[in-house]
Amino acid sequence: MDDELTVLAQTLLRGLDRGDPDLYELAMDALTGTANSFHLLRLERLRESVGRLGPEAERRHRESAVLELLRETRRTSPRVYEELKEIADAFGDDEGARTSSRPSRQPRVPAPDAAANRNDVSGGVFEGPVVQASTFNGGVYTYYGASQHTGLPPVADWPRLDKAEPTAFGVRPTRRSAGEEALPPYVARDGDALLEKRMRAAAEAGGLVLVTGEPLSGKSRTAWVGMLANLPGTTRLFAPAAGTDLRGLPVVLRGRGEEPCVIWLDELEGHLGEHGLTPALLADLARLRVPVIATMSDEAYDAHRFGGQARARVLVGVGPVELTRVWTEAELERLAGALGEDRRLGDASLGCEEADIAAFLAVGPELWEEWWRARRPHAHPHGHLLVRVAMDLARCGTRDVPVPSSVLRAACALYDEGAARTSGESFEDAVAWASKARHGVAGMLLRGPESDTWRVFPSLYRDEAARPDAPPVPLGLWLGAMEAVRGDQDFQAGVVENARNALEGEADGRPEVGLVLGRLHEATGQDQDAEKWFRHSADAGGAEAAGIVGEALAERGDTVEAVPYLERAAEAGDQYAQVLLVEVLVDRAVSWLDRLAEDGSREAAGYAGRLREARGALPDTVEE
């Protein structure tokens, strides 16, 4: 096993001595898995000593240091040790392939003074084009590796900042309806003044401007707005994908002429490393007066800045502009002043909890996509239906009024097709899925202040209502919505108005529609409108509405007009209408018999008396 350690140590040292960036980067990444920052520092110091080798004793000292590092890694992190072995084996294979493919070299004649004639490689990579030497003896062969310009597009192909769509470069979109901009108006954050100062400095002299914060805190939007406000609109924007080799940027930028440029690195952690943004590259960009605008999560920043990794050097001395996900009082005041500009800001102000405004705006699209896909039989069809019920109640006019679970459960039966697919998921599981917070922000159902009450995430029902192919709200749900807002006249009026807009055009020939409109107007005390819609329903053949109209007419003494409505309801089995019809007919008969009796008909007087007795024996109510 000691022989194995020795071979492994010697292989790693050869890679470090030859400046192989891939081996070093892979080894650093592997050692990160030990959670021991001292291991990373040891390897970094060993690499920094490349090119400064002394006598053989110093060489043995470096090999001893690698052996100690490997021995400790094998003892504490066997998995990481195995990774290092695989990395060394791969390097050895590549090394062998390079050696076998090289042309033979002329033998080197040793110099009289080895120290004076030692060749040191300065800059570049192993077999790079830059060599410093006091004397060359024999033939000289120069091997050039791959060019560091890795095919980056020319500046002329970069988009202009004022023409670039922010949602294509990492800014999260919000839901929008027809006619709305892709993003709501920007609400100023507390850190904007500091960001502006640093943006202007970077625009003049180059350098890195970094915005950090929790996920969904609005980092990308804030940084993007900062660029637009402080850089010319004609600035050419380069936004490489994570992992892009950036070493060729200085070459590309030197040929740009006078055009201003900016490098946009959203989620900077994906752009760090030997081939990404390094202190040397950042210095080159600063000399070219090209700013780098970047974002980074708090967690990623802490891990890279304080984790002992070599890539942390690019963050040294760069004070980030920090954003919090929970908005401050000052930020909320600015939001309140902008509510009239965009309904999405109003949704966020009213709907989000703990002032998590940016996250609230960003999570809406993902909630919609997840909800829509959950309708599948093997996903969450019951949860999907519950959210649809809550959305449709809000569309009716309940908006942010919390609704009891019992109402949601009962309303599911109004959706024939959806209810048929819910058997595989319990109601409790459906509620748990629908209310689970996504991204630590909010679920599709938001808990109300009272126990077991829920309201829907605001943007969901607005998005549903804005869809041209949105299915209509089930007719019976309008009455459920009115019940849910009982006691609040403003909300009740809103339900009636929404129902009238949605249903008036559907009422002709559909007695059930007129009946619902009548009930809604009746619940808000609009008796004349209620009777109008009841008559509309009855005239279209509605038996229930016919009983209501007949009773109203009879109470007013309009018995002649009441009879045909009561007869229709009675024929449909309405027992109350049957009794009321008898009373109306008896009263009319008695009235005519009394007239005959006044003309001297004793027989009519006898019939009238008997009918009065029968009238008094009729039941006042009908048992169901």
Side-chain angles (χ1 to χ4, degrees), residues 5-18:
L5 278 176
T6 300
V7 172
L8 178 55
Q10 291 173 347
T11 303
L12 291 176
L13 271 179
R14 284 200 307 276
L16 294 175
D17 289 349
R18 293 177 176 180

Side-chain angles (χ1 to χ4, degrees), residues 218-399:
K219 304 182 297 296
S220 300
R221 181 78 192 279
T222 294
W224 188 273
V225 170
M227 281 199 303
L228 287 176
N230 296 285
L231 300 179
T234 57
T235 300
R236 294 290 182 172
L237 172 75
F238 182 56
T244 299
D245 191 329
L246 302 179
R247 290 174 294 175
L249 266 178
V251 175
V252 173
L253 287 163
R254 286 190 188 101
R256 76 184 190 278
E258 298 298 321
E259 279 198 289
C261 295
V262 64
I263 311 301
W264 169 258
L265 301 180
D266 195 40
E267 298 183 357
L268 177 60
E269 61 271 23
H271 301 278
L272 299 177
E274 289 292 318
H275 296 176
L277 186 66
T278 63
L281 176 58
L282 187 59
D284 280 343
L285 295 175
R287 281 192 289 271
L288 294 167
R289 298 179 180 270
V290 175
V292 178
I293 312 302
T295 69
M296 209 172 192
S297 71
D298 287 337
E299 183 179 3
Y301 177 81
D302 291 344
H304 288 83
R305 175 67 181 87
F306 308 112
Q309 300 183 32
R311 61 186 62 182
R313 293 196 302 270
V314 79
L315 301 175
V316 174
V318 179
V321 176
E322 300 179 11
L323 292 185
T324 59
R325 218 166 82 168
V326 177
W327 282 30
T328 65
E329 289 296 327
E331 289 171 335
L332 291 175
E333 287 181 8
R334 290 192 287 271
L335 172 65
L339 294 184
E341 299 180 37
D342 191 285
R343 56 98 180 168
R344 290 167 290 185
L345 296 180
D347 286 347
S349 176
L350 293 173
C352 78
E353 299 175 358
E354 298 183 356
D356 207 349
I357 304 297
F360 187 91
L361 290 169
V363 81
E366 297 194 18
L367 287 182
W368 171 268
E369 297 297 338
E370 185 180 358
W371 169 76
W372 180 247
R373 291 184 60 79
R375 72 192 187 283
R376 295 168 297 160
H378 299 295
H380 293 278
H382 202 164
H384 174 87
L385 181 57
L386 279 181
V387 176
R388 176 174 285 284
V389 170
M391 286 164 49
D392 284 349
L393 283 169
R395 288 170 62 192
C396 288
T398 63
R399 292 183 290 177

Side-chain angles (χ1 to χ4, degrees), residues 371 374-376 380-393 408-423 425 427 430 433-434 444-445 474 477:
W371 169 76
R375 72 192 187 283
R376 295 168 297 160
H380 293 278
H382 202 164
H384 174 87
L385 181 57
L386 279 181
V387 176
R388 176 174 285 284
V389 170
M391 286 164 49
D392 284 349
L393 283 169
L408 297 177
R409 185 196 293 262
C412 287
L414 299 173
Y415 299 74
D416 297 335
E417 182 179 352
R421 296 197 299 262
T422 62
S423 59
E425 184 179 20
F427 180 80
W433 172 82
M444 301 171 198
L445 292 181
L477 197 66

Side-chain angles (χ1 to χ4, degrees), residues 453-465:
T453 60
W454 304 93
R455 56 190 174 88
V456 71
F457 189 88
S459 71
L460 287 178
Y461 81 85
R462 291 189 182 276
D463 294 338
E464 175 71 0

